[in-house]
Amino acid sequence: MRILLVDDDESIVGVLTRLLQEQNYVLDVAKDGESGWELVESFQYDLVLLDVMLPKLDGISFCRRLRDQKNPVLVMLLTARDTTTDKLVGLDSGADDYVVKPFNVQELAARIRALIRRGSISTNPILICGELHLDSNMHEVIYRGQVLQFSRKEYLLVELFLRNQKRVYSCRDIVDHLWPFDAEPPNESTVRSHIKNIRRQLKAVGAVDLLETVYGQGYRINPTFISSSHHQTVVSSVKQESLDNSVAEIWHSTKNLTFERLSLIEAAIPSLELGRFDENVYLQVIQNAHKLAGSLGMFGFDKGSTLARQIEVLFECEFQMRSHFTTISLQKLAQKLEPLVITLRQQLEGKIKEVIDIRTTADNSQLFELINAKIMVVDDDLQILIRLRTLLEPLGVQLTCLDNPDNFWKTLNLTRPDFLILDVNMPSGTEGLHLCESIRQNHDWNWLPILFLTGCTDVETLQQAFIKGADDYLTKPFVAQELLIRIVNRLQRIRTIRNQI
């Protein structure tokens, strides 16, 4: 799996690079929108992780350009903008998902796995070729119960062949898929050496000739080994202890950049106290506060991230009124900024326990065309069911509502929905997580898009939802427009995949 990350924040790039490489993704990185666009035109990616505020070409424009050119690559927006309007604009630009900085790295990893799973034709949890199984949860390759010991590149090469069991890969194709664009490309003898090592391991367990050479073309899975079993996208898990150590290491290597950004914000205070307005200083404060808000939360400074967001919002609001600035108004701005900066510095130095939390609301008006789909909802909250009926049925949705899961399978097979909405907590002792897992294990229904609509806001439940096979997760109370955009995006994606099949 090849991912493109477009982000100009060094600390976030460091964390995500370590996270994604540990999960055996091939990662390319671009620091601005134009460089990212050159890469997406040159390589085929499974997913683009895209910051919204980018130099040269912003993330929203980047995403819209992709969709205008009919490029179906999956897009996940990463941004410190967390208002409802920002989310709607992002999703409406064609993005498949929208994650707000600071994000929990485990949640991000789960969302990436779910997004890639949605973008794949198959949904089974293990790649299979005859008696060869690739367990992507454990990053293991198993033949007749024996675990094979492959290097990282060899594992990725086996995965590449198992995902495309009828395709012939030349040495050049293999390099393009498994080596980042900015790495020194290996020569063909290196690729052949990896193939040789894989064949040696397979031969040792009795899988002789599983990899076949097509002379003059490359390598492929021997057709006699190909199983009729379905194969899938990776559902991998993060090794938490290793990841925590990696995040801590990256914090120590990038913390000077964090304090430099804070110092640049602090430097604005004296000129404000003197009643001087400098547009460059204003924009510098907004930019650095935005970067801090996006990165601090990943390193455990959630309150610091909140403070940085307050500074960003404060200066954005004031900047819009710059034509009315007076010496007194600038001095008042300095008075508002100074305690926020002092508190932020104290928080970063580990000397503060509590800060003020802020929440932003925004206009949520949005118009939708007819959805024309069959959707099934399982939720014991009658108010939620009524609201969903009011919201969805006028848009052409054939809605089936269950207030308990007792007749779930019978109703599912009778109504044949295109989309499923589940609550986590249900009556009759049945949990939505277990129901989701059973759907993913069912051969007839494992393709069905599943969105959890729940009051559970803890990270552990969210992670479990994605591990069990959820495609999306939205907490109550929900914004109607965001729910509609997420449903429409999932339906469009699954319809495209089924048409390909």
Side-chain angles (χ1 to χ4, degrees):
M1 286 291 183
R2 193 181 192 108
I3 294 176
L4 172 62
L5 170 62
V6 190
D7 199 309
D8 63 334
D9 190 317
E10 294 178 13
S11 56
I12 288 180
V13 169
V15 171
L16 293 183
T17 298
R18 189 70 61 89
L19 168 70
L20 297 172
Q21 288 180 346
E22 286 184 355
Q23 296 186 82
N24 288 322
Y25 294 112
V26 178
L27 180 68
D28 293 332
V29 178
K31 298 297 180 64
D32 62 74
E34 288 186 0
S35 299
W37 186 257
E38 291 176 2
L39 289 175
V40 87
E41 287 190 312
S42 303
F43 298 93
Q44 183 175 349
Y45 292 99
D46 299 286
L47 172 66
V48 177
L49 297 175
L50 189 61
D51 189 18
V52 170
M53 293 187 67
L54 288 169
K56 299 182 180 179
L57 178 65
D58 67 90
I60 299 297
S61 299
F62 190 111
C63 189
R64 285 175 176 157
R65 185 185 293 183
L66 280 173
R67 299 316 183 212
D68 288 343
Q69 296 191 7
K70 309 301 181 185
N71 189 325
V73 65
L74 294 165
V75 176
M76 178 183 288
L77 292 177
L78 307 175
T79 178
R81 302 279 189 173
D82 66 345
T83 68
T84 300
T85 299
D86 291 323
K87 291 181 182 180
L88 295 178
V89 170
L91 292 170
D92 206 34
S93 70
D96 297 278
D97 205 351
Y98 186 107
V99 176
V100 176
K101 302 175 185 177
F103 45 75
N104 177 281
V105 288
Q106 293 283 21
E107 176 185 344
L108 181 68
R111 283 192 175 275
I112 288 173
R113 293 194 297 270
L115 196 56
I116 291 178
R117 181 177 64 245
R118 289 202 299 270
S120 174
I121 292 176
S122 170
T123 56
N124 291 331
I126 295 177
L127 298 174
I128 299 174
C129 178
E131 296 182 80
L132 184 71
H133 292 194
L134 189 146
D135 185 340
S136 53
N137 186 51
M138 301 298 295
H139 292 172
E140 290 180 342
V141 181
I142 304 169
Y143 187 79
R144 294 180 179 174
Q146 298 184 62
V147 178
L148 306 181
Q149 301 299 323
F150 291 124
S151 68
R152 179 176 180 270
K153 274 292 189 285
E154 290 163 1
Y155 171 89
L156 291 172
L157 189 50
V158 172
E159 182 186 23
L160 181 66
F161 283 120
L162 291 183
R163 288 187 182 284
N164 305 275
Q165 297 183 17
K166 296 182 180 181
R167 177 172 171 178
V168 177
Y169 285 95
S170 67
C171 289
R172 183 71 261 168
D173 292 333
I174 291 170
V175 170
D176 287 343
H177 277 82
L178 301 187
W179 272 265
F181 82 97
D182 56 350
E184 184 68 26
N187 54 39
E188 292 190 3
S189 62
T190 300
V191 176
R192 287 195 291 269
S193 177
H194 285 308
I195 296 289
K196 183 178 179 180
N197 290 338
I198 292 172
R199 282 173 165 164
R200 184 186 300 116
Q201 291 264 18
L202 293 172
K203 182 178 179 180
V205 295
V208 182
D209 299 328
L210 189 144
L211 278 185
E212 177 182 69
T213 300
V214 181
Y215 291 99
Q217 299 183 49
Y219 308 94
R220 70 177 179 186
I221 296 286
N222 190 323
T224 61
F225 282 83
I226 295 178
S227 166
S228 60
S229 302
H230 296 282
H231 53 290
Q232 66 92 48
T233 62
V234 171
V235 181
S236 58
S237 61
V238 179
K239 296 179 180 178
Q240 181 65 50
E241 182 177 355
S242 173
L243 184 57
D244 287 344
N245 291 336
S246 298
V247 171
E249 179 184 333
I250 293 167
W251 161 250
H252 286 297
S253 66
T254 62
K255 64 181 180 182
N256 289 339
L257 177 60
T258 297
F259 282 100
E260 286 174 11
R261 289 170 174 164
L262 179 57
S263 296
L264 289 171
I265 295 174
E266 290 172 326
I269 295 176
S271 61
L272 292 174
E273 289 176 335
L274 294 173
R276 296 174 183 171
F277 170 70
D278 186 325
E279 183 170 326
N280 290 329
V281 171
Y282 250 71
L283 295 176
Q284 184 173 268
V285 170
I286 293 172
Q287 180 181 17
N288 284 286
H290 180 82
K291 296 294 184 186
L292 289 174
S295 61
L296 286 177
M298 290 196 309
F299 300 114
F301 296 100
D302 294 337
K303 296 175 181 178
S305 178
T306 301
L307 282 167
R309 182 71 51 76
Q310 286 180 279
I311 294 172
E312 179 189 8
V313 172
L314 173 64
F315 268 72
E316 283 186 335
C317 293
E318 292 290 339
F319 188 70
Q320 294 174 3
M321 303 293 293
R322 60 188 180 277
S323 60
H324 301 289
F325 276 154
T326 64
T327 298
I328 295 177
S329 65
L330 291 171
Q331 290 172 340
K332 287 183 177 179
L333 179 58
Q335 292 173 359
K336 294 178 183 178
L337 175 62
E338 187 171 16
L340 293 174
V341 170
I342 292 173
T343 305
L344 177 54
R345 180 169 287 279
Q346 290 175 337
Q347 203 279 328
L348 290 179
E349 294 172 351
K351 297 179 180 179
I352 189 165
K353 302 299 182 183
E354 295 182 355
V355 294
I356 301 172
D357 180 32
I358 62 168
R359 298 186 183 276
T360 307
T361 58
D363 178 31
N364 58 10
S365 59
Q366 183 82 18
L367 296 176
F368 285 86
E369 297 178 357
L370 293 179
I371 294 177
N372 292 325
K374 292 187 288 185
I375 297 178
M376 182 172 171
V377 184
V378 187
D379 196 314
D380 63 335
D381 189 332
L382 295 180
Q383 288 184 327
I384 292 293
L385 295 180
I386 292 171
R387 186 179 179 194
L388 289 176
R389 283 194 182 280
T390 304
L391 175 66
L392 296 173
E393 288 185 343
L395 296 175
V397 171
Q398 299 178 44
L399 192 65
T400 301
C401 296
L402 292 179
D403 58 7
N404 70 74
D406 292 344
N407 295 318
F408 173 80
W409 287 104
K410 180 180 179 181
T411 306
L412 184 73
N413 289 304
L414 182 64
T415 59
R416 313 294 298 180
D418 305 298
F419 194 95
L420 178 63
I421 299 175
L422 294 176
D423 192 8
V424 170
N425 298 316
M426 298 185 184
S428 305
T430 303
E431 291 188 0
L433 296 176
H434 294 158
L435 194 56
C436 179
E437 184 177 33
S438 66
I439 293 167
R440 290 296 175 238
Q441 294 172 350
N442 185 285
H443 176 75
D444 294 326
W445 287 103
N446 56 20
W447 60 269
L448 183 65
I450 300 175
L451 179 145
F452 275 98
L453 184 60
T454 174
C456 297
T457 59
D458 60 289
V459 173
E460 182 179 355
T461 301
L462 182 146
Q463 292 172 4
Q464 284 298 312
F466 284 114
I467 290 172
K468 299 297 185 183
D471 294 289
D472 211 341
Y473 192 100
L474 195 60
T475 56
K476 305 172 184 175
F478 62 90
V479 176
Q481 282 68 27
E482 181 176 359
L483 174 65
L484 290 174
I485 289 177
R486 290 180 181 274
I487 291 173
V488 169
N489 286 348
R490 305 301 177 263
L491 288 172
Q492 289 176 343
R493 177 68 60 179
I494 198 66
R495 285 167 178 169
T496 299
I497 293 171
R498 296 182 76 180
N499 287 337
Q500 292 174 353
I501 297 175

